[in-house]
Amino acid sequence: MKDNTHIVTIDRHIIDQERLHPEATGAFSNLLTDMALAAKIVSREVNMAGLADILGRVGRTNIQGEVVQKLDVFAQEAIYRAMDHTGHLCCMVSEEHEDFIPIPEKFPAGPYVLVFDPLDGSSNIDVNVSIGTIFSIYRKVTDNERGSVEDCLQAGREQLAAGYVVYGSSTMLVYTTGSGVHGFTLDPSIGEFILSHPDIQIPEPPNRYYSVNEAYYSRWGKGQQRFVDHLKGLGDGPDPGFSSRYIGSLVSDFHRTLLKGGIFMYPADTKSPSGKLRLLYEASPLAWIAEEAGGRASSGSRDILDIVPEELHQRTPLYIGSRALVDQAEEYLAKGE
Ligand code: AHG
Ligand code: MN
Ligand code: MN
Protein backbone atom coordinates (compact mmCIF):
# COMPACT_ATOMS: atom_id res chain seq x y z
CA MET A 1 0.00 0.00 0.00
CA LYS A 2 1.52 3.37 -0.98
CA ASP A 3 2.09 5.62 2.02
CA ASN A 4 0.06 8.68 1.03
CA THR A 5 0.36 10.32 4.42
CA HIS A 6 3.30 12.50 3.45
CA ILE A 7 3.94 14.36 0.23
CA VAL A 8 7.49 14.22 -1.12
CA THR A 9 8.22 16.76 -3.84
CA ILE A 10 11.04 16.16 -6.29
CA ASP A 11 13.01 19.03 -4.75
CA ARG A 12 12.75 17.39 -1.32
CA HIS A 13 13.70 14.00 -2.82
CA ILE A 14 16.74 15.46 -4.59
CA ILE A 15 17.95 16.96 -1.31
CA ASP A 16 17.40 13.64 0.47
CA GLN A 17 19.36 11.88 -2.30
CA GLU A 18 22.12 14.48 -1.94
CA ARG A 19 22.46 13.51 1.74
CA LEU A 20 23.47 10.00 0.54
CA HIS A 21 26.59 11.64 -0.92
CA PRO A 22 28.44 13.48 1.88
CA GLU A 23 30.86 14.98 -0.65
CA ALA A 24 27.97 16.60 -2.53
CA THR A 25 28.13 20.37 -2.88
CA GLY A 26 24.51 20.91 -3.83
CA ALA A 27 25.41 22.05 -7.35
CA PHE A 28 24.34 18.72 -8.75
CA SER A 29 21.04 18.90 -6.87
CA ASN A 30 20.42 22.36 -8.31
CA LEU A 31 20.96 20.93 -11.79
CA LEU A 32 18.26 18.32 -11.24
CA THR A 33 15.91 20.90 -9.80
CA ASP A 34 16.52 23.14 -12.83
CA MET A 35 15.74 20.18 -15.12
CA ALA A 36 12.46 19.59 -13.27
CA LEU A 37 11.57 23.26 -13.85
CA ALA A 38 12.29 22.90 -17.58
CA ALA A 39 10.08 19.80 -17.63
CA LYS A 40 7.19 21.78 -16.12
CA ILE A 41 7.60 24.48 -18.77
CA VAL A 42 7.62 21.96 -21.61
CA SER A 43 4.69 20.08 -20.06
CA ARG A 44 2.60 23.25 -19.99
CA GLU A 45 3.31 23.87 -23.68
CA VAL A 46 2.70 20.24 -24.67
CA ASN A 47 -0.66 20.28 -22.91
CA MET A 48 -1.63 23.51 -24.64
CA ALA A 49 -0.16 22.43 -27.99
CA GLY A 50 -3.53 21.82 -29.57
CA LEU A 51 -4.61 25.38 -28.80
CA ALA A 52 -1.57 27.54 -29.22
CA ASP A 53 0.12 27.87 -32.59
CA ILE A 54 2.72 25.38 -31.42
CA LEU A 55 1.73 22.43 -33.52
CA GLY A 56 3.10 21.65 -36.92
CA ARG A 57 6.41 21.91 -38.61
CA VAL A 58 9.11 24.49 -38.58
CA GLY A 59 9.77 23.93 -42.26
CA ARG A 60 13.29 22.57 -41.91
CA THR A 61 15.04 19.32 -41.07
CA ASN A 62 17.51 18.81 -38.24
CA ILE A 63 20.96 17.26 -38.50
CA GLN A 64 19.33 13.88 -38.24
CA GLY A 65 17.51 14.66 -41.46
CA GLU A 66 14.22 14.65 -39.55
CA VAL A 67 11.47 17.22 -40.04
CA VAL A 68 11.65 19.59 -37.07
CA GLN A 69 8.39 20.18 -35.21
CA LYS A 70 7.68 23.50 -33.50
CA LEU A 71 7.51 21.66 -30.18
CA ASP A 72 10.99 20.23 -30.79
CA VAL A 73 12.28 23.79 -31.00
CA PHE A 74 10.22 24.98 -28.04
CA ALA A 75 11.46 22.13 -25.84
CA GLN A 76 15.05 22.71 -26.95
CA GLU A 77 14.84 26.41 -26.08
CA ALA A 78 13.02 25.81 -22.78
CA ILE A 79 15.68 23.39 -21.54
CA TYR A 80 18.56 25.48 -22.84
CA ARG A 81 17.24 28.66 -21.16
CA ALA A 82 16.59 26.86 -17.86
CA MET A 83 20.12 25.46 -17.79
CA ASP A 84 22.48 27.92 -19.56
CA HIS A 85 22.91 30.48 -16.75
CA THR A 86 23.06 28.16 -13.70
CA GLY A 87 26.85 28.07 -13.54
CA HIS A 88 26.81 24.27 -13.15
CA LEU A 89 27.36 23.26 -16.78
CA CYS A 90 30.43 23.56 -19.00
CA CYS A 91 28.46 22.58 -22.12
CA MET A 92 25.42 20.71 -23.41
CA VAL A 93 24.62 18.22 -26.19
CA SER A 94 21.17 18.13 -27.79
CA GLU A 95 19.66 15.99 -30.50
CA GLU A 96 18.66 19.26 -32.15
CA HIS A 97 22.20 20.69 -32.41
CA GLU A 98 24.96 19.20 -34.58
CA ASP A 99 27.83 20.41 -32.34
CA PHE A 100 28.11 20.57 -28.57
CA ILE A 101 26.49 23.69 -27.16
CA PRO A 102 28.84 25.97 -25.18
CA ILE A 103 27.67 28.02 -22.22
CA PRO A 104 27.52 31.72 -23.23
CA GLU A 105 30.61 33.65 -22.12
CA LYS A 106 28.40 36.00 -20.03
CA PHE A 107 27.50 33.08 -17.74
CA PRO A 108 29.86 31.16 -15.40
CA ALA A 109 30.71 27.57 -16.37
CA GLY A 110 30.64 24.54 -14.08
CA PRO A 111 31.90 20.93 -13.94
CA TYR A 112 28.88 19.15 -15.41
CA VAL A 113 27.73 18.20 -18.91
CA LEU A 114 24.05 17.90 -19.82
CA VAL A 115 23.06 15.73 -22.79
CA PHE A 116 19.42 15.60 -23.83
CA ASP A 117 16.77 14.77 -26.38
CA PRO A 118 14.44 17.71 -25.87
CA LEU A 119 11.43 16.09 -27.42
CA ASP A 120 11.33 12.38 -28.13
CA GLY A 121 8.61 10.88 -30.31
CA SER A 122 8.15 14.01 -32.41
CA SER A 123 6.18 12.13 -35.06
CA ASN A 124 3.44 11.70 -32.45
CA ILE A 125 3.07 15.37 -31.45
CA ASP A 126 0.26 16.27 -33.86
CA VAL A 127 -1.82 13.20 -33.08
CA ASN A 128 -1.85 13.74 -29.31
CA VAL A 129 0.13 10.61 -28.51
CA SER A 130 2.54 10.63 -25.53
CA ILE A 131 5.97 12.16 -26.14
CA GLY A 132 8.91 12.73 -23.85
CA THR A 133 12.24 14.31 -22.94
CA ILE A 134 15.37 12.32 -22.10
CA PHE A 135 18.38 13.73 -20.20
CA SER A 136 21.62 12.66 -18.64
CA ILE A 137 24.37 14.39 -16.62
CA TYR A 138 28.12 13.69 -16.68
CA ARG A 139 31.07 15.30 -14.96
CA LYS A 140 33.52 16.88 -17.41
CA VAL A 141 36.80 14.99 -17.90
CA THR A 142 39.07 17.70 -19.38
CA ASP A 143 40.50 20.91 -17.96
CA ASN A 144 38.57 22.95 -20.53
CA GLU A 145 36.60 25.40 -18.38
CA ARG A 146 34.05 25.82 -21.18
CA GLY A 147 33.92 22.09 -22.04
CA SER A 148 34.76 20.19 -25.23
CA VAL A 149 33.44 17.33 -27.32
CA GLU A 150 35.74 15.03 -25.32
CA ASP A 151 33.79 15.90 -22.16
CA CYS A 152 30.62 14.73 -23.92
CA LEU A 153 31.85 11.45 -25.46
CA GLN A 154 31.63 9.35 -22.28
CA ALA A 155 30.29 5.81 -21.80
CA GLY A 156 26.94 5.50 -20.06
CA ARG A 157 28.64 3.98 -17.01
CA GLU A 158 30.08 7.45 -16.28
CA GLN A 159 26.64 9.07 -15.87
CA LEU A 160 25.91 10.89 -12.60
CA ALA A 161 22.17 11.20 -13.26
CA ALA A 162 19.78 9.97 -15.94
CA GLY A 163 16.12 10.67 -16.37
CA TYR A 164 13.19 11.16 -18.64
CA VAL A 165 9.90 13.03 -18.68
CA VAL A 166 6.83 11.43 -20.24
CA TYR A 167 4.09 13.89 -21.29
CA GLY A 168 1.19 11.45 -21.23
CA SER A 169 -2.17 11.19 -19.49
CA SER A 170 -0.17 12.79 -16.72
CA THR A 171 3.34 14.24 -16.83
CA MET A 172 5.86 12.08 -15.02
CA LEU A 173 9.56 12.60 -14.35
CA VAL A 174 11.58 9.45 -13.65
CA TYR A 175 15.25 9.65 -12.62
CA THR A 176 18.16 7.84 -11.03
CA THR A 177 21.41 9.03 -9.48
CA GLY A 178 22.50 5.45 -8.78
CA SER A 179 20.35 4.87 -5.68
CA GLY A 180 17.31 3.35 -7.35
CA VAL A 181 14.77 4.68 -9.84
CA HIS A 182 12.11 7.11 -8.64
CA GLY A 183 9.02 8.43 -10.44
CA PHE A 184 7.25 11.74 -9.81
CA THR A 185 3.87 12.80 -11.13
CA LEU A 186 3.22 16.48 -11.85
CA ASP A 187 0.32 17.98 -9.93
CA PRO A 188 -0.45 20.93 -12.22
CA SER A 189 -2.71 22.51 -9.59
CA ILE A 190 0.32 23.20 -7.39
CA GLY A 191 3.04 22.96 -10.06
CA GLU A 192 4.93 20.29 -8.14
CA PHE A 193 6.33 16.88 -9.11
CA ILE A 194 5.15 14.55 -6.32
CA LEU A 195 6.82 11.19 -5.56
CA SER A 196 4.34 8.62 -6.89
CA HIS A 197 6.57 5.68 -7.85
CA PRO A 198 9.38 5.21 -5.30
CA ASP A 199 12.06 2.57 -6.01
CA ILE A 200 10.72 1.32 -9.35
CA GLN A 201 11.75 -2.27 -10.15
CA ILE A 202 10.93 -4.03 -13.42
CA PRO A 203 8.47 -6.74 -12.32
CA GLU A 204 9.58 -10.38 -12.41
CA PRO A 205 8.13 -12.35 -14.11
CA PRO A 206 7.63 -9.57 -16.63
CA ASN A 207 4.38 -8.83 -18.39
CA ARG A 208 4.43 -10.56 -21.73
CA TYR A 209 4.88 -7.42 -23.84
CA TYR A 210 7.30 -7.10 -26.69
CA SER A 211 7.70 -3.78 -28.50
CA VAL A 212 9.24 -3.37 -31.96
CA ASN A 213 8.28 -1.82 -35.29
CA GLU A 214 7.42 -4.99 -37.20
CA ALA A 215 7.04 -3.10 -40.50
CA TYR A 216 10.81 -3.50 -40.78
CA TYR A 217 10.74 -7.33 -40.46
CA SER A 218 12.04 -7.85 -43.99
CA ARG A 219 15.07 -5.64 -43.27
CA TRP A 220 16.11 -7.53 -40.13
CA GLY A 221 18.82 -10.15 -39.86
CA LYS A 222 17.79 -13.79 -39.47
CA GLY A 223 18.48 -13.83 -35.74
CA GLN A 224 16.17 -10.86 -35.15
CA GLN A 225 13.47 -12.40 -37.31
CA ARG A 226 13.73 -15.72 -35.46
CA PHE A 227 13.51 -14.01 -32.07
CA VAL A 228 10.32 -12.13 -32.97
CA ASP A 229 8.92 -15.31 -34.58
CA HIS A 230 9.55 -17.01 -31.23
CA LEU A 231 7.78 -14.20 -29.32
CA LYS A 232 4.80 -14.59 -31.68
CA GLY A 233 4.62 -18.34 -31.11
CA LEU A 234 5.86 -19.09 -34.65
CA GLY A 235 9.07 -20.72 -33.46
CA ASP A 236 9.67 -24.17 -31.96
CA GLY A 237 7.94 -25.09 -28.73
CA PRO A 238 4.74 -23.76 -27.17
CA ASP A 239 3.42 -20.23 -27.79
CA PRO A 240 5.13 -18.06 -25.12
CA GLY A 241 1.98 -15.95 -24.96
CA PHE A 242 3.29 -12.45 -25.67
CA SER A 243 1.29 -9.37 -26.60
CA SER A 244 2.64 -6.55 -28.75
CA ARG A 245 2.70 -2.84 -27.90
CA TYR A 246 4.42 -0.18 -30.05
CA ILE A 247 3.72 3.52 -29.47
CA GLY A 248 6.52 4.93 -31.61
CA SER A 249 7.72 7.18 -28.79
CA LEU A 250 10.79 5.63 -27.19
CA VAL A 251 10.08 7.30 -23.83
CA SER A 252 6.50 5.95 -23.73
CA ASP A 253 7.48 2.46 -24.91
CA PHE A 254 10.29 2.41 -22.36
CA HIS A 255 8.12 3.76 -19.52
CA ARG A 256 5.61 0.93 -20.05
CA THR A 257 8.46 -1.60 -20.19
CA LEU A 258 9.92 -0.21 -16.95
CA LEU A 259 6.60 -0.43 -15.07
CA LYS A 260 5.21 -3.64 -16.59
CA GLY A 261 8.25 -5.54 -17.86
CA GLY A 262 8.83 -7.04 -21.30
CA ILE A 263 11.27 -5.90 -23.96
CA PHE A 264 11.59 -2.90 -26.27
CA MET A 265 13.69 -3.33 -29.39
CA TYR A 266 14.96 -0.99 -32.04
CA PRO A 267 17.15 -3.37 -34.08
CA ALA A 268 19.75 -2.66 -36.70
CA ASP A 269 18.38 -3.30 -40.17
CA THR A 270 19.51 -3.05 -43.78
CA LYS A 271 18.29 0.58 -43.92
CA SER A 272 19.73 1.58 -40.52
CA PRO A 273 22.77 -0.69 -39.99
CA SER A 274 23.43 0.94 -36.58
CA GLY A 275 19.75 1.25 -35.70
CA LYS A 276 17.95 4.62 -35.44
CA LEU A 277 18.24 5.54 -31.78
CA ARG A 278 21.11 7.69 -30.51
CA LEU A 279 23.51 6.30 -27.93
CA LEU A 280 24.35 9.43 -25.93
CA TYR A 281 20.95 10.96 -25.22
CA GLU A 282 18.48 8.14 -25.83
CA ALA A 283 19.98 4.68 -25.20
CA SER A 284 22.50 5.40 -22.41
CA PRO A 285 20.19 7.31 -20.00
CA LEU A 286 17.43 4.70 -20.36
CA ALA A 287 19.96 1.86 -20.11
CA TRP A 288 21.14 3.08 -16.69
CA ILE A 289 17.56 3.46 -15.50
CA ALA A 290 16.77 -0.06 -16.74
CA GLU A 291 19.79 -1.52 -14.90
CA GLU A 292 18.99 0.40 -11.69
CA ALA A 293 15.46 -1.07 -11.92
CA GLY A 294 16.82 -4.63 -12.21
CA GLY A 295 16.67 -4.87 -16.00
CA ARG A 296 19.22 -4.70 -18.82
CA ALA A 297 20.03 -2.81 -22.00
CA SER A 298 22.09 -4.16 -24.88
CA SER A 299 23.10 -3.18 -28.40
CA GLY A 300 22.33 -6.80 -29.25
CA SER A 301 25.86 -7.90 -28.50
CA ARG A 302 27.11 -5.78 -25.57
CA ASP A 303 25.87 -3.65 -22.67
CA ILE A 304 24.82 -0.20 -23.85
CA LEU A 305 26.49 1.35 -20.78
CA ASP A 306 29.91 0.03 -21.85
CA ILE A 307 29.87 1.67 -25.29
CA VAL A 308 32.09 4.77 -25.55
CA PRO A 309 30.57 7.09 -28.18
CA GLU A 310 32.96 8.18 -30.95
CA GLU A 311 30.69 10.98 -32.13
CA LEU A 312 27.87 12.96 -30.52
CA HIS A 313 24.98 11.57 -32.56
CA GLN A 314 26.21 8.01 -32.87
CA ARG A 315 23.37 5.52 -33.29
CA THR A 316 23.03 2.09 -31.71
CA PRO A 317 20.60 -0.81 -31.91
CA LEU A 318 18.72 -1.06 -28.60
CA TYR A 319 17.30 -4.03 -26.66
CA ILE A 320 16.04 -2.88 -23.26
CA GLY A 321 13.79 -4.19 -20.48
CA SER A 322 13.51 -7.43 -18.52
CA ARG A 323 16.94 -8.98 -18.08
CA ALA A 324 15.94 -12.50 -19.19
CA LEU A 325 14.37 -11.21 -22.43
CA VAL A 326 17.35 -9.02 -23.32
CA ASP A 327 19.64 -12.01 -22.68
CA GLN A 328 17.42 -14.15 -24.93
CA ALA A 329 17.51 -11.55 -27.71
CA GLU A 330 21.33 -11.60 -27.60
CA GLU A 331 21.27 -15.42 -27.86
CA TYR A 332 19.05 -15.36 -30.97
CA LEU A 333 21.17 -12.62 -32.58
CA ALA A 334 24.38 -14.54 -31.84
CA LYS A 335 22.91 -17.69 -33.44
CA GLY A 336 21.92 -15.60 -36.45
CA GLU A 337 21.39 -18.23 -39.23
P1 AHG B 1 12.80 11.61 -31.88
O1 AHG B 1 11.39 12.08 -32.02
O2 AHG B 1 13.52 12.22 -30.72
O3 AHG B 1 13.56 11.73 -33.18
O4 AHG B 1 12.75 10.04 -31.53
C1 AHG B 1 11.94 9.25 -32.30
C2 AHG B 1 12.35 7.83 -32.14
C3 AHG B 1 11.82 7.18 -30.88
O5 AHG B 1 11.08 8.03 -30.07
C4 AHG B 1 10.96 6.05 -31.37
O6 AHG B 1 11.19 4.89 -30.64
C5 AHG B 1 11.41 5.87 -32.81
O7 AHG B 1 11.84 7.13 -33.26
C6 AHG B 1 10.30 5.39 -33.70
O8 AHG B 1 10.91 5.14 -34.96
P2 AHG B 1 10.07 4.39 -36.10
O9 AHG B 1 9.02 5.37 -36.53
O10 AHG B 1 11.09 4.07 -37.17
O11 AHG B 1 9.50 3.13 -35.48
MN1 MN C 1 14.28 10.70 -29.53
MN1 MN D 1 13.93 14.25 -30.33
Side-chain angles (χ1 to χ4, degrees), residues 213-272:
N213 188 335
E214 300 203 42
Y216 307 150
Y217 184 93
S218 61
R219 303 184 206 153
W220 295 338
K222 283 278 175 271
Q224 177 65 34
Q225 290 177 337
R226 294 286 167 273
F227 181 48
V228 172
D229 290 347
H230 159 69
L231 297 174
K232 295 160 77 109
L234 300 175
D236 310 331
D239 182 342
F242 275 80
S243 180
S244 168
R245 292 283 187 281
Y246 193 74
I247 301 168
S249 282
L250 169 62
V251 169
S252 307
D253 279 317
F254 175 72
H255 186 64
R256 180 200 58 249
T257 305
L258 183 71
L259 295 187
K260 300 285 186 189
I263 185 169
F264 170 85
M265 298 173 266
Y266 204 107
D269 63 36
T270 48
K271 187 168 167 253
S272 314

Side-chain angles (χ1 to χ4, degrees), residues 95 117 119-121 134 250 277-278 282:
E95 178 191 86
D117 177 359
L119 205 81
D120 173 71
I134 309 170
L250 169 62
L277 300 176
R278 279 60 53 136
E282 289 177 317

Side-chain angles (χ1 to χ4, degrees), residues 56-62 66-70 73:
R57 300 174 168 189
V58 171
R60 63 178 170 81
T61 58
N62 63 13
E66 293 160 344
V67 172
V68 176
Q69 307 282 344
K70 287 181 183 174
V73 174

